[in-house]
Amino acid sequence: VNKQYSFPTQGGETRPSRCPDNSAFKQQKLPAWKPQLTIATVLPSFFLTGAFCLAVGVCLILVSACLFLSQIDYSDKCSDCSKLRENSSNWNKECYCSVNFTLKEDILGDVFMYYGLQNFYQNHRRYVISRSDAQLLGRNVNRSYCAPFTTYRNGTPMAPCGAIANSMFNDTIDLFYNLNSSAIQVPVLKTGNSWWTDKNVKFRNPKSYNLSSAFAGTARPPYWHKPVYLLDEEDERNNGYVNEDLIIWMRVSAFATFRNLYRRVKRIRQFADGLPAGNYTFRISYNFPVTKFKGRKHVILSTVVWSGGSNPFLGIAYVVSGTAATLTGFVITAIHLKLRKKKTYFQK
Amino acid sequence: MGCAVILFPVLPILFIFLFFLQNNSIKTSKYNFFTFLPLNLFEQFQRIANAYFLFLLILQLIPQISSLAWFTTVVPLVLVLAVSGVKDAIDDFVRSILLTCTLDLSVCVQADLLLLSSSEPHSLTYIETAELDGETNLKVKQALTVTAELGEDLQKLTEFNGEVKCEAPNNKLDKFTGTLTLRGEKYALDNEKMLLRGCTIRNTEWCFGLVIYAGPDTKLMQNSGKTTFKRTSIDRLMNVLVLVIFAFLALMCLILAIGNGIWEYDKGYYFQVYLPWAEGVNSASYSGFLMFWSYVIILNTVVPISLYVSVEIIRLGNSFYIDWDRKMYYPLNDTPAQARTTTLNEELGQIKYIFSDKTGTLTQNIMCFNKCSINGKSYGDVYDMSGQRIEINENTEKVDFSYNQLADPKFAFYDHSLVEAVKLSDVPTHRFFRLLSLCHTVMPEEKKEGNLVYQAQSPDEGALVTAARNFGFVFRARTPETITIVEMGETKIYKLLAILDFNNVRKRMSVIVRSPEGDLTLYCKGADTILYELLHSSCDTLKEETTEHLNEFAGEGLRTLVVAYKNLDEDYFQEWIRRHHEASTALEGREDKLSELYEEIEKDLMLLGATAIEDKLQDGVPQTIETLAKANIKIWVLTGDKQETAMNIGYSCNLLNDDMEDVFIIEGSTSDDVLNELRNARKKMKPDSFLDSDEINIQFEKSSKKPKIIPDEQANGVYGLVITGHSLAYALEGNLELELVRTACLCKVVICCRVTPLQKAQVVELVKKYKKAVTLAIGDGANDVSMIKTAHIGVGISGQEGMQAVLSSDFSFAQFRYLQRLLLVHGRWSYIRMCKFLKYFFYKNFAFTLVHFWYGFFSGFSAQTVYDEWFITLYNLVYTSLPVLGMSLFDQDVDDRWSMLFPQLYVPGQQNLYFNKTVFVKCMLQGIYSSLILFFIPYGAMYNTMRSDGKAIADYQSFALMAQTCLLIVVSVQIGLDTSYWTVVNQFFIWGSLSVYFAITFTMYSDGMYLIFTASFPFIGTARNTLSQPNVWLAIFLSITLCVLPVVGFRFLKAQLKPTPSDKVRRYLIKPEILCSRTRRLRRTSTRRSGYAFSHQHGFGALIMSGRNMRPKSPFLATSIKSGPEKPVSWFGLI
């Protein structure tokens, strides 16, 4: 072994000092705001929050009192049709059902018609992912996410594919105003009900000279009665993938009970101010079976206010929270006053 | 205060290292360029957390189970592995560089050598072993005569052909046996011929040695214990908590899996019209089983992968602050503090026991002649005009010694009256200094005319002789028979007739000299307790006065010696010296005969006075110790030095003081003695601890064999304990161990003296074993390495010569006093920051993850996530990482000044109050509460409602966006609430993270992103459509209020009703205590205590009388190599 060690030369060039920089950052002396929970900050925060919550809560409750809401469970009322639909072999038999109701006073303003489903697990994970956004954009891509409704056994792809599209709500609900023993169909709007981004960005029809050729080589989903290019034969811009009923259905709900916007009352003629008081009839073409999984179907008429639809939750929650905050504020005040009386300097 | 700095010049050393046993280099670098990636990855996956995430990733690849997109796990995992990998690489790189260069610079002996020859007469070699055992005196080693002949003849040395047989490597520092066979002759080898690794060669120009043990075989390395991987208590707690969380996770998944089974059976089965069961799933229970794993994936974020990385980053950042702290930078040797281990910071805020070395750590290893008492008059204090004693500082006027050309310019003394007494030729004063200049074993060296350098065997003697020199009694030269003194400018040669050498039993030394006038005098100096017995009865009054002075000196922690003389009768002396000669040539019982003779002549002495030497402490040591004591930290001093010296230092740095009820001294020499002494001490401190009803006794009655944690006990007063190494050896044995711990931990201060390096480690190990406490060991020498490695935290004093302690330490700095800043400021902050970080981190992830759990009950237990997958990916990595990092790097509850002013702020850390299992449960409960709010408020607000334009809002995507926005704002407000020190960076991080969230959300949900990456960003338009709704914002506001306001109220009330120390400080409820360390120094002692301490060794008297260590030539020795002390010329060669 032969090794040579040498010391590094000392002296000569002077080493730079290893003294650390005197910067505020390195010395942990950055200027800082040091907020503290003092009585001066805590009490106002409780009382102000309390007052604010109370005010908002009362406002919300008052506002929603002006709302009109009528919800009719027609899965009970149309029990005959329900029974018919329980047997899937009757899928092509039509079944109509009428539901009557009376408006005691006029409903002013925009009136919205919703269908509501209960116990329908649209938020189930496998349901939520069973769709092809690319297909709905009009692209021709593989649809592996659409399981189990991707293709038929013979290889024909479904259009649109996936469990969501396949289970699309397909009842038809019409509203009639019974005036002097004659029934006037209330005029409704079936477009403009979905988000602008969905209608214009998220959904697009495949490009072709006409719609039916665009969907050539595909087949309707198994539960559908008609192919996608016949969803709305009257309106070219509401047909195919951009059909708003489809778009709205494809926006899956967060919960198993939900309502989707179906139609809006078109404010013309005697309906210019809303729905006048009187007797009305919903005429429903009953296609969508729900009884098998103990589901329920509703039809809902509602108006809206600035805070949205009828949901008392926020109003009540705000009032309760506001009250609690204010009460806690008083408790804190009491404790503070009691402590201040015997406030001494703690030694150690 | 007069200071004579005793310098030991480092003379150029020549070494030949004969590497024939083992390569002395140490491989420290773990990786090289090619092995880094596989090795590092392998190591990283050994960490249980990373392995867990790998397992998750594999789970996700199973299509039936995969409930999240692959990127939600892969992106964080890759990021985390990359960050840790880079950190490991940097650590490795830095470590390897440091080790090589510091070893090169060290001037210590680097292997165990057999001394062959040296530059000094008779091949003597002087060494200092402070690194090894903490003793400060010089020791002498002598080579065998056969090898001494080799000299510096390189030719002969290379041809040296002998055979050494020696014992196997062991850890006994004071023992070596072996034989050298040279040219057929055998020579015995013992420890006197060995230069051990770690000792420093002094006063020797060159020496040659033969390497016997090298590298890990050296006695020093054998003594330094194993390097263990250190982990903090928070690390261990974190591991436990992670396991708890895993169990909790499994429980949640189990509940959800069972829920899924029931749901599929009850509802899903019938819902198959619209949603058939997945392929291969044919029963509800199988679906439940799959769902268990799916939920494991979704809920894994309760143990987020970024936890470990964030903890590492925080520790690293807080380590940098230590490196950067100017207040821990020592300008004199340009040494900044250094955090060498970057993973232990928060432990610094929890220290309960400090184990400190003495020499070089508490003391500077410099002795100053400070005070003296001559003939009943005390000198050394300075009084002002009104007779008030004044503190001595840099501005105090020094005594001018310019009248004395031979004075040492570095010596400082402040009391002018002593010089006047000398100038007035006061007889006792002259005799006093004459004694100091004659009675010693110091060797003078005068390389240049008038430039005297003393080579003292003990620094005490050096200080005394230097003092005499400056006061006009210059010890100039000695031969075996004479001592040359320049007395007030007049050279006198005294005949040295005998040296009655020092030893530990006699505790005194005497010389017998004949003055030029022909007077025969015996001069004696020694311990007061011994010398007082030997005084002539005529000295009784003077004895009383001197006793008073001695008490005063002892009270100030000075090392005292009493000096006395005796005029001898010529005839008696002649007779005595004849008997002395006979005794010293006697073959049997020589030692006994000599000591009898010594005792015979050393009696009826005339008292002259006393000297007081200050063992200079490092700056600020008493104040630091006082501050640390206020912080409830117990300090144990472990030193290899003598009991007297150790106790003396104990007194001078305020560890021991006379206010203590008692200081127990354990010095038994059998196991039973030690046991009795320990028991008696405990009986006095806590009599109840012997009752059967005592909790600990009960606990040990029924306990099994495994070591139990002993809870803290309270003594009935303040006590100190001193234990010698010999007794400690017994006390550390099996059955006495417990007794020692219980007794020692009752005392405020424990001093262990004469301990070996390994015993130091054993003491630390003992406390670690029986006490639930964090220990810190601080030292500077190689003898401290073992305890530094053993303690939870090892601190090395850097900037001294040896680097062994620093190299094995976790933190290093130049001065003991920086310890208080390291603990009270950096340690406390690190601990608080880490605790705050963990609390917040667990909270935010519970709040984040449990929302999925609640959603399970509403989504058919289908492992549907609440949030967007991208949000899940980015939540821990982007949206919430920087604010919490900002808090953990910048937060200060009170600033550094206050931290030092109120040491009691440190106590909560020791008691582990800020983060423990209870706190964790609280965080968990808060997280659960928040998750409930965060799920049910958006749920309630959205249930069956619609937008203000009638369109739908209760869709899944809107709900997801709303829930995640609520969550993010709530956790951001929470971090704001936790941050007590808002710097610009914190502001930037918190507001920035929120803005980034909105920016990223709007970008990801934009048209463009959707059209390009359709499958990845399906949330198009959700942000625009949802966040424009007033009721969404109302719901968000309500969630924040409900999550945060209770916390505000709770915290406020807690600070009011049960304030922590830092609450009190911040609300000015504690008055700052003015540090009053000075007042104690002046306090008179009530009990008589000896201040005697003397680091002298037996054997030097005989050496001087034989003349073996004298150079034959003139004192102006011409050397061929002229180099300054800082520039050692060394050459290492190999044969």
Side-chain angles (χ1 to χ4, degrees), chain A residues 156-347:
Chain A
T156 319
M158 301 179 192
C161 68
I164 310 179
N166 180 48
S167 61
M168 185 179 152
F169 182 80
N170 53 2
D171 285 0
T172 318
I173 308 167
D174 293 312
L175 181 59
F176 292 91
Y177 177 41
N178 306 323
L179 190 64
N180 310 326
S181 75
S182 70
I184 307 166
Q185 185 167 8
V186 178
V188 290
L189 294 163
K190 52 186 171 185
T191 56
N193 297 338
S194 65
W195 289 1
W196 184 91
T197 45
D198 284 357
K199 175 91 179 172
N200 296 288
V201 184
K202 202 173 181 182
F203 292 84
R204 276 178 201 173
N205 280 322
K207 290 220 164 41
S208 189
Y209 54 94
N210 72 18
L211 216 46
S212 57
S213 70
F215 290 100
T218 64
R220 64 184 160 87
Y223 290 5
W224 283 27
H225 294 176
K226 48 192 174 186
V228 66
Y229 50 87
L230 296 179
L231 281 176
D232 188 350
E233 290 164 79
E234 299 153 21
D235 188 349
E236 179 72 13
R237 280 178 302 162
N238 192 30
N239 202 1
Y241 290 152
V242 292
N243 176 272
E244 291 207 15
D245 289 339
L246 175 68
I247 290 174
I248 286 171
W249 181 257
M250 293 303 290
R251 182 155 284 282
V252 294
S253 160
F255 303 105
T257 301
F258 59 94
R259 42 181 81 157
N260 279 345
L261 183 56
Y262 186 63
R263 298 287 183 260
R264 286 178 296 151
V265 173
K266 195 175 182 184
R267 288 170 70 172
I268 48 164
R269 300 194 301 271
Q270 61 263 61
F271 305 107
D273 294 330
L275 290 180
N279 289 327
Y280 289 84
T281 303
F282 281 121
R283 199 152 167 275
I284 298 159
S285 156
Y286 196 114
N287 299 316
F288 196 75
V290 291
T291 43
K292 210 163 184 183
F293 54 89
K294 298 184 196 110
R296 303 208 156 273
K297 294 195 284 189
H298 307 272
V299 59
I300 299 130
L301 282 178
S302 172
T303 59
V304 293
V305 285
W306 63 266
S307 64
S310 67
N311 183 339
F313 175 81
L314 270 186
I316 294 167
Y318 261 96
V319 170
V320 171
S321 319
T323 318
T326 317
L327 286 179
T328 317
F330 283 119
V331 170
I332 288 175
T333 317
I335 291 174
H336 180 73
L337 288 178
K338 205 175 164 193
L339 275 184
R340 208 172 56 169
K341 265 184 207 160
K342 57 166 191 181
K343 181 169 166 185
T344 47
Y345 279 89
F346 296 79
Q347 206 70 44

Side-chain angles (χ1 to χ4, degrees), chain B residues 497-571:
Chain B
L497 302 172
I499 295 180
L500 283 55
D501 203 4
F502 179 90
N503 73 28
N504 276 329
V505 182
R506 284 161 45 80
K507 292 188 180 172
R508 63 183 185 266
M509 73 165 289
S510 306
V511 291
I512 298 171
V513 292
R514 190 190 295 278
S515 70
E517 293 82 25
D519 299 332
L520 261 182
T521 318
L522 178 143
Y523 291 108
C524 180
K525 69 177 186 213
D528 45 9
T529 46
I530 303 281
L531 241 62
Y532 268 25
E533 303 297 316
L534 308 173
L535 291 181
H536 192 260
S537 51
S538 64
C539 305
D540 283 355
T541 13
L542 182 56
K543 201 161 120 184
E544 265 168 46
E545 287 167 331
T546 310
T547 305
E548 203 170 297
H549 293 153
L550 279 172
N551 281 346
E552 200 177 303
F553 299 157
E556 290 171 35
L558 301 175
R559 303 160 75 126
T560 57
L561 283 177
V562 169
V563 294
Y565 75 102
K566 180 188 181 184
N567 289 322
L568 294 177
D569 178 57
E570 182 71 43
D571 295 340

Side-chain angles (χ1 to χ4, degrees), chain A residues 89-101:
Chain A
S89 58
N90 300 325
W91 67 271
N92 52 359
K93 287 183 188 157
E94 298 230 339
C95 178
Y96 288 95
C97 152
S98 294
V99 181
N100 299 320
F101 70 99

Side-chain angles (χ1 to χ4, degrees), chain A residues 7 20 114 139 223 252 254 318, chain B residues 104 273 326 855 950 956 1014 1034:
Chain A
F7 285 129
Y114 299 88
R139 292 179 188 158
Y223 290 5
V252 294
Y318 261 96
Chain B
D104 279 352
V273 206
R326 281 171 80 93
Y855 192 47
Y956 166 73
T1014 309
L1034 284 177

Side-chain angles (χ1 to χ4, degrees), chain B residues 94 125 1073:
Chain B
V94 170
T125 301
E1073 293 159 48

Side-chain angles (χ1 to χ4, degrees), chain B residues 222-263:
Chain B
Q222 294 271 318
N223 246 305
S224 56
K226 267 184 242 134
T227 310
T228 44
F229 181 62
K230 290 183 183 177
R231 288 205 309 194
T232 67
S233 52
I234 286 209
D235 264 333
R236 288 188 290 272
L237 178 63
M238 228 154 68
N239 284 348
V240 173
L241 294 183
V242 165
L243 288 182
V244 170
I245 295 174
F246 280 157
F248 183 70
L249 176 70
L251 178 74
M252 285 196 298
C253 292
L254 190 68
I255 293 172
L256 291 165
I258 292 171
N260 181 264
I262 295 170
W263 186 89

